[in-house]
Amino acid sequence: MVIYWIASYFIGNLLTAWWIGKWKGIDLRKERSGNLGARNAGAVIGKTAFVLTFLGDAAKGALVVGLGHYGGFNEWVIAIGGLVVICGHLFPLWLKGRGGKGIATFIGVSLLITPSLFLVMFLVFGIFFPILKSATLTMLTSFSAFIIAVSLTGQLSVLWPLILAIILILIKHQNDLRESFEKRFAKL
Protein backbone atom coordinates (compact mmCIF):
# COMPACT_ATOMS: atom_id res chain seq x y z
CA MET A 1 0.00 0.00 0.00
CA VAL A 2 2.74 2.49 0.95
CA ILE A 3 4.73 1.44 -2.13
CA TYR A 4 1.61 2.12 -4.22
CA TRP A 5 1.35 5.64 -2.77
CA ILE A 6 5.07 6.34 -3.30
CA ALA A 7 4.79 5.11 -6.90
CA SER A 8 1.71 7.32 -7.34
CA TYR A 9 3.66 10.39 -6.29
CA PHE A 10 6.47 9.66 -8.74
CA ILE A 11 3.99 8.95 -11.56
CA GLY A 12 2.57 12.41 -10.80
CA ASN A 13 6.08 13.83 -11.26
CA LEU A 14 5.94 12.89 -14.95
CA LEU A 15 4.88 16.27 -16.30
CA THR A 16 3.71 15.98 -19.89
CA ALA A 17 4.13 19.72 -20.57
CA TRP A 18 7.77 19.59 -19.54
CA TRP A 19 8.50 16.77 -22.01
CA ILE A 20 6.55 18.44 -24.83
CA GLY A 21 8.39 21.69 -24.13
CA LYS A 22 11.74 19.87 -24.29
CA TRP A 23 10.68 18.25 -27.55
CA LYS A 24 9.95 21.71 -28.98
CA GLY A 25 13.04 23.30 -27.40
CA ILE A 26 10.99 25.47 -25.02
CA ASP A 27 11.22 25.65 -21.23
CA LEU A 28 7.58 26.31 -20.30
CA ARG A 29 8.67 27.31 -16.79
CA LYS A 30 10.05 30.49 -18.39
CA GLU A 31 7.08 31.23 -20.64
CA ARG A 32 3.84 33.09 -19.83
CA SER A 33 2.49 31.70 -16.53
CA GLY A 34 5.47 29.40 -16.01
CA ASN A 35 3.01 26.59 -15.29
CA LEU A 36 3.71 23.08 -16.53
CA GLY A 37 0.14 22.27 -17.51
CA ALA A 38 -2.03 21.99 -20.59
CA ARG A 39 -3.22 25.59 -20.59
CA ASN A 40 0.26 27.10 -20.63
CA ALA A 41 1.53 24.48 -23.09
CA GLY A 42 -1.35 25.37 -25.41
CA ALA A 43 -0.83 29.12 -25.05
CA VAL A 44 2.90 28.89 -25.77
CA ILE A 45 3.22 25.98 -28.19
CA GLY A 46 -0.26 25.53 -29.68
CA LYS A 47 -3.43 23.44 -29.65
CA THR A 48 -1.66 20.14 -30.24
CA ALA A 49 0.52 20.74 -27.18
CA PHE A 50 -2.61 21.52 -25.15
CA VAL A 51 -4.33 18.29 -26.22
CA LEU A 52 -1.23 16.12 -25.73
CA THR A 53 -0.50 17.63 -22.32
CA PHE A 54 -4.11 17.30 -21.19
CA LEU A 55 -4.30 13.67 -22.31
CA GLY A 56 -0.91 12.80 -20.80
CA ASP A 57 -1.71 14.37 -17.45
CA ALA A 58 -5.19 12.81 -17.34
CA ALA A 59 -3.71 9.43 -18.31
CA LYS A 60 -1.31 9.41 -15.36
CA GLY A 61 -4.22 10.02 -12.98
CA ALA A 62 -6.19 7.21 -14.63
CA LEU A 63 -3.10 4.97 -14.54
CA VAL A 64 -2.77 5.33 -10.77
CA VAL A 65 -6.44 4.43 -10.24
CA GLY A 66 -6.09 1.50 -12.66
CA LEU A 67 -3.00 0.24 -10.84
CA GLY A 68 -4.89 0.47 -7.55
CA HIS A 69 -7.76 -1.59 -8.91
CA TYR A 70 -5.34 -4.08 -10.45
CA GLY A 71 -3.58 -4.37 -7.09
CA GLY A 72 -6.91 -5.10 -5.39
CA PHE A 73 -6.70 -2.14 -3.00
CA ASN A 74 -9.72 -0.73 -1.17
CA GLU A 75 -11.31 2.37 -2.69
CA TRP A 76 -10.04 4.65 0.12
CA VAL A 77 -6.47 3.47 -0.60
CA ILE A 78 -6.97 4.21 -4.31
CA ALA A 79 -8.49 7.61 -3.49
CA ILE A 80 -5.36 8.45 -1.47
CA GLY A 81 -3.33 7.27 -4.48
CA GLY A 82 -5.35 9.76 -6.56
CA LEU A 83 -4.54 12.54 -4.12
CA VAL A 84 -0.87 11.58 -4.13
CA VAL A 85 -0.56 11.50 -7.95
CA ILE A 86 -2.12 14.97 -8.04
CA CYS A 87 0.34 16.13 -5.36
CA GLY A 88 3.15 14.72 -7.49
CA HIS A 89 1.88 16.78 -10.41
CA LEU A 90 1.44 19.95 -8.34
CA PHE A 91 4.70 19.61 -6.40
CA PRO A 92 7.21 17.52 -8.37
CA LEU A 93 10.31 16.74 -6.35
CA TRP A 94 12.73 17.05 -9.28
CA LEU A 95 11.43 20.52 -10.24
CA LYS A 96 11.50 21.92 -6.69
CA GLY A 97 7.70 21.86 -6.39
CA ARG A 98 6.98 23.84 -9.57
CA GLY A 99 4.56 21.64 -11.48
CA GLY A 100 1.18 22.03 -13.07
CA LYS A 101 -2.14 22.97 -11.53
CA GLY A 102 -3.70 19.51 -11.44
CA ILE A 103 -6.99 19.73 -13.31
CA ALA A 104 -6.23 17.18 -16.03
CA THR A 105 -4.77 14.75 -13.50
CA PHE A 106 -7.85 15.20 -11.29
CA ILE A 107 -10.05 14.47 -14.30
CA GLY A 108 -8.17 11.22 -14.97
CA VAL A 109 -8.46 10.17 -11.33
CA SER A 110 -12.13 11.07 -10.87
CA LEU A 111 -13.20 9.57 -14.19
CA LEU A 112 -11.90 6.15 -13.21
CA ILE A 113 -12.56 6.14 -9.47
CA THR A 114 -16.11 7.51 -9.60
CA PRO A 115 -17.50 7.87 -13.14
CA SER A 116 -20.97 8.94 -11.96
CA LEU A 117 -19.63 11.83 -9.89
CA PHE A 118 -17.27 12.76 -12.71
CA LEU A 119 -20.35 12.95 -14.94
CA VAL A 120 -22.01 15.33 -12.47
CA MET A 121 -18.93 17.54 -12.56
CA PHE A 122 -18.78 17.36 -16.37
CA LEU A 123 -22.47 18.23 -16.79
CA VAL A 124 -22.23 21.18 -14.40
CA PHE A 125 -19.25 22.45 -16.38
CA GLY A 126 -21.24 22.13 -19.62
CA ILE A 127 -24.21 23.99 -18.14
CA PHE A 128 -22.31 26.84 -16.48
CA PHE A 129 -19.57 27.55 -19.03
CA PRO A 130 -21.91 29.38 -21.46
CA ILE A 131 -23.24 31.43 -18.53
CA LEU A 132 -19.95 32.30 -16.82
CA LYS A 133 -17.83 32.41 -20.01
CA SER A 134 -14.77 31.54 -17.94
CA ALA A 135 -13.21 28.08 -17.69
CA THR A 136 -11.66 29.02 -14.33
CA LEU A 137 -14.94 30.14 -12.74
CA THR A 138 -16.80 27.20 -14.26
CA MET A 139 -14.15 24.88 -12.78
CA LEU A 140 -14.96 26.33 -9.36
CA THR A 141 -18.66 25.59 -9.93
CA SER A 142 -17.91 22.06 -11.16
CA PHE A 143 -15.69 21.28 -8.19
CA SER A 144 -18.40 22.57 -5.85
CA ALA A 145 -20.91 20.26 -7.51
CA PHE A 146 -18.49 17.34 -7.15
CA ILE A 147 -18.05 18.00 -3.43
CA ILE A 148 -21.82 18.30 -2.90
CA ALA A 149 -22.39 15.07 -4.86
CA VAL A 150 -19.77 13.24 -2.77
CA SER A 151 -21.54 14.40 0.39
CA LEU A 152 -25.05 13.58 -0.85
CA THR A 153 -24.09 10.08 -2.00
CA GLY A 154 -22.52 9.22 1.35
CA GLN A 155 -19.07 8.63 -0.14
CA LEU A 156 -17.23 11.19 1.97
CA SER A 157 -15.50 8.54 4.08
CA VAL A 158 -13.94 7.07 0.92
CA LEU A 159 -13.51 10.08 -1.38
CA TRP A 160 -12.27 12.69 1.12
CA PRO A 161 -8.79 12.57 -0.52
CA LEU A 162 -10.33 13.89 -3.75
CA ILE A 163 -11.89 16.79 -1.86
CA LEU A 164 -8.47 17.54 -0.37
CA ALA A 165 -7.06 17.40 -3.91
CA ILE A 166 -9.68 19.94 -5.04
CA ILE A 167 -8.63 22.27 -2.22
CA LEU A 168 -4.97 22.01 -3.27
CA ILE A 169 -5.89 22.62 -6.91
CA LEU A 170 -7.91 25.70 -5.95
CA ILE A 171 -4.99 27.02 -3.90
CA LYS A 172 -2.75 26.62 -6.97
CA HIS A 173 -5.41 28.49 -8.99
CA GLN A 174 -5.97 31.34 -6.52
CA ASN A 175 -4.40 33.99 -8.77
CA ASP A 176 -6.37 32.74 -11.78
CA LEU A 177 -9.59 32.73 -9.74
CA ARG A 178 -8.99 36.28 -8.49
CA GLU A 179 -8.22 37.50 -12.01
CA SER A 180 -11.29 35.74 -13.45
CA PHE A 181 -13.59 37.19 -10.77
CA GLU A 182 -12.23 40.68 -11.44
CA LYS A 183 -12.66 40.36 -15.22
CA ARG A 184 -16.10 38.78 -15.05
CA PHE A 185 -17.65 40.91 -12.32
CA ALA A 186 -15.79 44.23 -12.65
CA LYS A 187 -18.61 45.71 -14.75
CA LEU A 188 -21.31 44.94 -12.18
Side-chain angles (χ1 to χ4, degrees):
M1 178 168 66
V2 173
I3 293 171
Y4 166 66
W5 291 335
I6 292 169
S8 297
Y9 174 77
F10 285 107
I11 290 169
N13 273 236
L14 301 172
L15 294 154
T16 311
W18 190 84
W19 293 104
I20 290 173
K22 285 291 178 193
W23 175 47
K24 293 290 189 177
I26 298 169
D27 186 350
L28 289 170
R29 295 172 297 169
K30 297 177 181 174
E31 301 292 333
R32 294 184 55 110
S33 71
N35 177 43
L36 288 171
R39 192 172 183 179
N40 197 41
V44 174
I45 301 171
K47 290 178 186 175
T48 302
F50 172 85
V51 171
L52 291 174
T53 301
F54 180 86
L55 292 175
D57 289 346
K60 70 184 173 187
L63 173 65
V64 164
V65 174
L67 289 173
H69 285 137
Y70 180 77
F73 294 119
N74 290 326
E75 286 298 307
W76 68 270
V77 173
I78 297 170
I80 292 173
L83 169 62
V84 174
V85 71
I86 291 165
C87 286
H89 180 81
L90 297 173
F91 312 107
L93 185 65
W94 66 287
L95 291 173
K96 299 178 183 172
R98 288 192 60 209
K101 293 186 179 175
I103 292 177
T105 306
F106 182 86
I107 287 171
V109 168
S110 63
L111 178 60
L112 257 66
I113 202 167
T114 178
S116 59
L117 298 184
F118 170 81
L119 182 60
V120 168
M121 187 174 63
F122 181 77
L123 290 173
V124 168
F125 190 91
I127 291 166
F128 280 90
F129 184 74
I131 297 165
L132 296 173
K133 295 179 176 51
S134 163
T136 303
L137 295 179
T138 307
M139 168 201 67
L140 183 61
T141 307
S142 298
F143 279 159
S144 299
F146 184 87
I147 292 169
I148 291 166
V150 166
S151 300
L152 292 176
T153 58
Q155 297 182 61
L156 191 56
S157 63
V158 173
L159 297 178
W160 63 265
L162 298 187
I163 293 173
L164 184 54
I166 287 172
I167 292 166
L168 292 172
I169 291 168
L170 292 176
I171 290 169
K172 285 286 263 190
H173 278 87
Q174 62 185 330
N175 290 336
D176 297 331
L177 287 165
R178 188 179 310 110
E179 183 180 305
S180 294
F181 269 108
E182 288 170 1
K183 280 184 182 177
R184 179 69 176 101
F185 299 111
K187 298 174 185 175
L188 299 178

